[in-house]
C-alpha cells in the first residue's frame, strides 16, 4: 500500500485529505508541524509528501514551507513533494517547482485534479525507480563489451545491442536491415569488435557503389593483365578479409550477375581471381546490410532467394530514429560534444521532428547548428529544420483517448515527455487526462 504524508497545521484539512486518499487505497499519515513530519518520515517508508506552505496562524508568505521543502529535498532527493497552499507568491512556487517540487495545488482544491496529480507523481516515482534498475542492468549487461561509441537510451536499442552481442561470438552470417542513416554500420562494428575475429581485418564494401564490370575484381581480385588497365595483381576484398569480417553494405543493390558470383563464395568459401584458374579459399564472416525489402525483391525477381538465405542466417532489425525518441536528446548531446547546449525550445523541436534521414540527419543538423550558432545555447532557428507537420502545436480537440494513452505508453508514463511528443503543454495534457478519466499513465 502506497503511503502519503500530509503536512498541514489545519486539522480539518488533514482529516479531509486523509478521507479522500484512504478511499483510493492509500495509507495516509498527518503531521501538523515540521517536527512531527520528520518523525513520520523516519518511522515510515513514505512514498509522497503533500506539504502546506504555512504552519503558524497568521503566516501567509510561505517562508516556512520553503525552508521545509529544501530540507526535505536535501534528505530525501527522490521523494515526490506536492505543494499545497492558499497563501503564497507565484514566484516562490515557480522557484520550488524548478528546484524539484512535483507540482503545486491551490486551496481550495479540486478532488479529481489532486488525485490525478498524486497518482501521476507516484507513477513517475515508480517509473524512475524502474529506469534506474534498468540502467543498472544495462551497465551490467554491457560491462566489458565494446559498443564502438554507440549512443542510446531507448529500450529498443538496448534489446538490439544485447542480441548483437549474443551473436558476436558466432560466425553465422547476419543481415542488418533498417532505413538509411539509422546506424547499420555501427551494429556491424559492434558484431566484429566483440567477436573472436576482432584482431583480424574488418573490410567494408558498399555493394551499391561497385560498377558492374569491376565487381568481380573488387570482391575476388584480379591478376595483372586480366583487364585493360590492370598493370599489377589486385587483392580482392574476400582475400583481404581472410580470417576476419566482411561487411557488405547495401547488398540489395547488387546486380543479379554479381549475386550469382557472390553466392558461390558464400557457399564454398572458394573463389578465383579474375584472369586466374587457381582456386583460393577464404575464411570470412559475412555481415550484410540493406534498406531494401529483400523478400519483395525476391518476388519481383530482382534478388536471388538462395542468396537471401545465405546472408540472412540471423536478421537484426534496426528501428528508425522516430521509433526510438528517447535516443534523440542523448545523440544530440553526443554530436554537440559539450561545445554548445540546446535551448529548451530547440530540444523540443528535435524531439518533435520526424527525422526522415535518421541518425545521419540528426548529426548533420547538430554540426550545422554548431557552425551557425553565435551563442553557447543553440536556438530553434539555428537548427535549420525543414517544415514538418509533427513540429506544429496541436489543439486538445486533435487528440483522442487512444492517441493520449499511446503517447503516455511510449513516454514510459512521463507526462512532460508525452506532452512534448503530442506538441502540447503539460497542463493541457493534464486537462485532457482529467477529461478522459485517465488517473494513471
Amino acid at each position: 500500500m502506497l503511503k502519503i504524508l500530509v503536512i498541514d497545521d489545519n486539522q480539518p484539512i488533514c482529516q479531509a485529505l486523509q478521507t479522500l486518499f484512504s478511499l483510493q487505497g492509500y495509507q495516509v499519515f498527518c503531521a501538523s508541524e515540521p517536527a512531527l513530519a520528520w518523525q513520520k518520515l523516519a518511522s515510515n517508508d513514505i512514498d509522497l509528501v503533500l506539504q502546506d506552505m504555512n504552519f503558524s496562524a497568521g503566516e501567509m508568505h510561505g517562508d516556512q514551507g520553503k525552508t521545509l521543502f529544501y530540507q526535505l529535498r536535501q534528505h530525501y532527493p527522490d521523494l515526490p513533494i506536492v505543494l499545497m497552499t492558499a497563501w503564497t507568491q507565484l514566484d516562490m512556487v515557480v522557484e520550488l517547482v524548478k528546484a524539484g517540487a512535483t507540482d503545486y495545488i491551490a486551496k481550495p482544491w479540486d478532488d479529481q485534479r489532486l488525485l490525478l496529480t498524486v497518482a501521476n507523481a507516484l507513477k513517475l516515482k515508480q517509473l524512475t525507480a524502474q529506469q534506474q534498475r534498468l540502467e543498472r542492468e544495462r551497465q551490467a549487461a554491457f560491462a566489458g563489451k565494446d559498443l564502438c561509441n554507440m549512443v542510446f537510451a531507448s529500450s529498443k536499442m538496448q534489446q538490439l545491442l544485447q542480441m548483437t552481442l549474443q551473436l558476436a561470438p558466432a560466425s553465422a552470417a547476419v543481415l542488418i536491415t533498417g532505413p538509411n542513416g539509422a546506424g547499420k554500420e555501427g551494429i556491424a562494428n559492434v558484431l566484429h569488435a566483440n567477436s573472436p575475429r576482432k584482431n583480424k581485418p574488418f573490410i567494408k564494401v558498399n555493394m551499391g557503389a561497385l560498377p558492374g564490370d569491376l565487381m568481380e575484381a573488387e570482391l575476388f581480385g584480379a591478376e595483372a593483365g586480366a583487364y585493360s588497365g590492370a598493370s599489377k595483381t589486385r587483392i580482392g576484398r574476400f582475400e583481404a578479409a581472410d580470417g576476419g569480417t566482411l561487411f557488405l553494405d547495401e547488398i540489395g543493390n547488387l546486380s543479379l550477375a554479381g549475386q550469382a558470383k557472390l553466392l558461390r563464395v558464400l557457399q564454398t568459401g572458394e573463389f578465383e581471381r579474375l584472369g586466374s584458374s587457381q582456386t583460393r579459399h577464404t575464411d570470412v564472416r559475412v555481415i550484410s546490410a540493406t534498406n531494401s525489402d529483400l523478400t519483395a525483391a525476391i518476388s519481383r525477381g530482382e534478388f536471388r532467394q538462395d542468396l537471401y538465405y545465405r546472408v540472412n542466417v540471423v536478421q537484426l532489425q534496426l528501428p528508425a530514429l522516430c521509433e526510438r525518441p528517447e535516443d534523440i536528446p542523448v545523440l544530440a548531446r553526443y554530436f554537440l560534444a559539450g561545445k554548445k547546449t540546446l535551448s529548451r525550445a530547440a530540444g523540443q523541436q528535435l524531439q518533435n521532428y520526424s527525422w526522415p534521414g535518421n541518425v545521419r540527419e540528426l548529426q548533420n543538423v547538430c554540426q550545422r547548428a554548431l557552425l551557425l550558432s553565435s551563442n553557447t545555447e543553440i536556438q530553434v532557428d539555428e537548427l535549420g529544420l525543414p517544415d514538418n507537420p509533427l513540429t506544429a502545436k496541436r489543439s486538445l480537440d486533435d487528440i483522442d483517448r487512444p492517441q493520449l494513452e499511446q503517447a503516455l505508453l511510449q513516454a514510459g508514463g512521463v507526462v512532460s515527455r508525452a506532452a512534448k511528443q503530442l506538441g502540447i503543454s503539460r497542463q493541457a495534457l493534464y486537462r485532457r487526462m482529467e477529461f478522459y478519466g485517465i488517473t494513471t499513465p
Side-chain angles (χ1 to χ4, degrees), residues 229-242:
S231 58
K232 60 182 179 179
T233 299
R234 181 173 188 170
I235 302 298
R237 306 298 178 91
F238 272 94
E239 193 171 351
D242 188 34

Side-chain angles (χ1 to χ4, degrees), residues 178-184 250 291 318 321 324 356-361:
N180 280 333
K184 296 187 290 294
E250 300 302 343
N291 67 333
L318 183 60
L321 183 58
R324 42 188 173 105
N358 293 290
V359 178
R360 187 179 298 135
E361 184 184 10

Side-chain angles (χ1 to χ4, degrees), residues 103-309:
D103 210 336
Y104 165 74
I105 298 293
K107 296 179 182 176
W109 64 85
D110 175 84
D111 284 354
Q112 292 304 313
R113 172 63 193 278
L114 178 57
L115 289 172
L116 179 62
T117 298
V118 169
N120 284 330
L122 291 170
K123 184 64 175 179
L124 178 59
K125 180 186 177 184
Q126 293 174 340
L127 290 170
T128 300
Q130 182 181 10
Q131 290 171 352
Q132 292 172 346
R133 177 180 57 80
L134 290 174
E135 179 62 25
R136 290 192 296 269
E137 291 177 356
R138 182 172 74 170
Q139 291 177 356
F142 298 141
K145 305 298 183 181
D146 185 357
L147 297 184
C148 302
N149 298 318
M150 292 287 287
V151 177
F152 64 96
S154 65
S155 59
K156 287 185 177 181
M157 283 302 294
Q158 179 175 339
Q159 292 169 4
L160 177 64
L161 283 168
Q162 286 176 331
M163 178 178 270
T164 301
L165 292 172
Q166 186 177 349
L167 296 172
S171 292
V174 176
L175 177 64
I176 306 171
T177 60
N180 280 333
K184 296 187 290 294
E185 185 176 329
I187 298 297
N189 289 335
V190 174
L191 279 169
H192 176 74
N194 294 275
S195 74
R197 301 170 182 263
K198 63 182 179 181
N199 296 321
K200 298 293 184 178
F202 183 31
I203 306 297
K204 303 176 183 180
V205 187
N206 186 339
M207 304 297 285
L210 289 181
D213 55 346
L214 293 179
M215 188 279 297
E216 189 173 355
E218 287 285 341
L219 292 182
F220 310 124
E223 297 291 345
Y227 58 91
S228 178
S231 58
K232 60 182 179 179
T233 299
R234 181 173 188 170
I235 302 298
R237 306 298 178 91
F238 272 94
E239 193 171 351
D242 188 34
T245 303
L246 184 64
F247 177 50
L248 306 178
D249 197 9
E250 300 302 343
I251 194 172
N253 295 333
L254 187 61
S255 67
L256 285 172
Q259 293 175 33
K261 295 174 180 177
L262 178 60
L263 179 62
R264 181 197 169 207
V265 70
L266 294 182
Q267 287 176 328
T268 65
E270 297 178 347
F271 66 96
E272 291 84 31
R273 291 178 185 167
L274 190 64
S276 171
S277 60
Q278 179 184 352
T279 299
R280 302 174 185 274
H281 186 274
T282 184
D283 174 24
V284 171
R285 183 191 191 171
V286 174
I287 302 172
S288 306
T290 183
N291 67 333
S292 305
D293 184 347
L294 293 186
T295 56
I298 291 171
S299 66
R300 295 192 301 267
E302 298 172 358
F303 199 86
R304 294 179 62 114
Q305 189 174 46
D306 46 4
L307 178 59
Y308 175 75
Y309 291 127

